[in-house]
């Protein structure tokens, strides 16, 4: 998620973006996801995983594609 959402950002910006996912897990709203993976991959939450994003497939399995 950080590769797709925060590529080229500063360390501070990356930390802030990472906390958005952690906050969604801990907010008690099940539609946000109850685990970090669920929160990150919930539909339309992070644009890098949207189906129309060309890099979505790579970002979901970066080791396979050496991203």
């Amino acid at each position: 998620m950080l590769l797709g959402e925060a590529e080229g950002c500063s360390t501070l910006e990356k930390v802030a973006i990472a906390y958005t996912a952690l906050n969604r897990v801990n907010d008690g709203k099940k539609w946000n996801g109850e685990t970090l993976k669920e929160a990150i991959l919930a539909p339309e939450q992070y644009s890098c995983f949207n189906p129309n994003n060309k890099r979505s497939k790579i970002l979901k399995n970066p080791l396979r594609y050496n991203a």
Side-chain angles (χ1 to χ4, degrees):
M1 184 266 289
L2 286 177
L3 178 63
E5 294 290 322
E7 189 171 32
C9 291
S10 71
T11 299
L12 182 59
E13 290 169 317
K14 289 176 183 174
V15 169
I17 292 167
Y19 267 101
T20 66
L22 293 172
N23 289 337
R24 291 173 189 190
V25 171
N26 294 319
D27 70 2
K29 298 176 184 173
K30 291 189 178 194
W31 59 269
N32 272 343
E34 296 183 77
T35 66
L36 190 54
K37 182 178 179 178
E38 288 175 0
I40 289 171
L41 295 178
E44 305 298 323
Q45 295 301 302
Y46 293 98
S47 62
C48 65
F49 295 120
N50 289 347
N52 61 341
N53 186 308
K54 297 174 190 174
R55 295 179 64 199
S56 176
K57 183 178 178 182
I58 294 168
L59 292 171
K60 286 182 180 178
N61 193 353
L63 295 178
R64 178 176 182 189
Y65 297 97
N66 290 325

